[in-house]
Amino acid sequence: MRGSLIAAENKIKERLCRMSTFMKIGARKVGKLSKRDLFIAGLALYWAEGSKKNRRVELINSDPAIIKIWISWLKAFTKMNDRDLTLCVGINEIHRPRIGKVQKYWSHLTGIRESQFRSPSFKKVRNRKVYDNYDSHFGSLCVRTRKSTNLNYEILGQIAKLGMEAGS
């Protein structure tokens, strides 16, 4: 029994070491990003994760890194500022009692005041199970730009160009 535990621990250590090695290789391959690299990365992010309907520029995601990159991209490449953005949390109904904490988390992460949050969108589900990560789950955040019809058209044109270039 003890031998099995030691073998399992060794496998975990080996996997973590291998993971660390290849993550470093991956980071070296990316290298230093130019302003154009960041511009294209933001377009690709919006292409994959952004809403392309209703002539709105909005992106919804639960990954804090994606949210931060998107807001930075908007500020750097569209001249948006914090006042031009509205935020909305989407989260399971069971988190209603802690919505203040959830919005505070996203406000702190984004640097955008809680007064710019729209009413949260609570998702109704049949499952009443409370998961282990209840206190560390913060749902998804929708980042929407104000008065964004023309910006939406511009970004869609940029994405179309990106698609044409990639396909040639």
Side-chain angles (χ1 to χ4, degrees):
M1 181 73 143
R2 178 152 163 73
S4 296
L5 288 175
I6 292 171
E9 287 175 3
N10 287 338
K11 279 189 171 192
I12 291 170
K13 286 178 187 174
E14 188 274 330
R15 180 181 55 82
L16 292 174
C17 181
R18 192 174 66 244
M19 185 174 84
S20 175
T21 298
F22 281 97
M23 286 181 73
K24 288 175 186 171
I25 290 169
R28 274 197 306 272
K29 284 182 178 180
V30 170
K32 184 168 173 39
L33 297 177
S34 70
K35 189 170 182 175
R36 178 160 173 75
D37 293 335
L38 294 172
F39 175 69
I40 299 299
L43 283 179
L45 178 61
Y46 189 74
W47 193 359
E49 297 290 329
S51 172
K52 273 81 70 196
K53 60 182 181 179
N54 299 326
R55 298 182 306 272
R56 290 187 186 134
V57 174
E58 66 182 14
L59 182 135
I60 303 169
N61 208 281
S62 61
D63 185 331
I66 288 176
I67 295 296
K68 287 173 78 170
I69 289 168
W70 179 241
I71 291 173
S72 294
W73 188 89
L74 285 170
K75 290 177 179 180
F77 298 105
T78 71
K79 306 299 184 227
M80 292 279 163
N81 60 49
D82 289 351
R83 291 182 311 280
D84 297 321
L85 305 176
T86 60
L87 307 178
C88 178
V89 172
I91 197 163
N92 189 300
E93 180 73 37
I94 63 172
H95 293 278
R96 187 179 288 272
R98 55 185 287 275
I99 193 63
K101 179 180 179 183
V102 170
Q103 287 184 321
K104 192 175 295 302
Y105 165 83
W106 287 113
S107 177
H108 178 74
L109 182 107
T110 62
I112 297 173
R113 296 184 323 252
E114 288 183 67
S115 63
Q116 288 175 236
F117 280 68
R118 295 186 345 259
S119 296
S121 172
F122 292 105
K123 312 303 180 204
K124 292 175 178 50
V125 293
R126 295 181 195 270
N127 186 358
R128 295 275 180 214
K129 179 178 178 183
V130 176
Y131 293 90
D132 292 338
N133 70 342
Y134 178 81
D135 289 325
S136 61
H137 178 71
F138 298 99
S140 296
L141 187 68
C142 174
V143 179
R144 181 183 292 173
T145 61
R146 299 180 198 264
K147 300 179 184 174
S148 59
T149 300
N150 291 342
L151 177 59
N152 175 271
Y153 297 151
E154 183 178 337
I155 292 172
L156 292 177
Q158 293 163 341
I159 290 171
K161 176 67 173 171
L162 200 63
M164 285 188 283
E165 290 293 318
S168 53

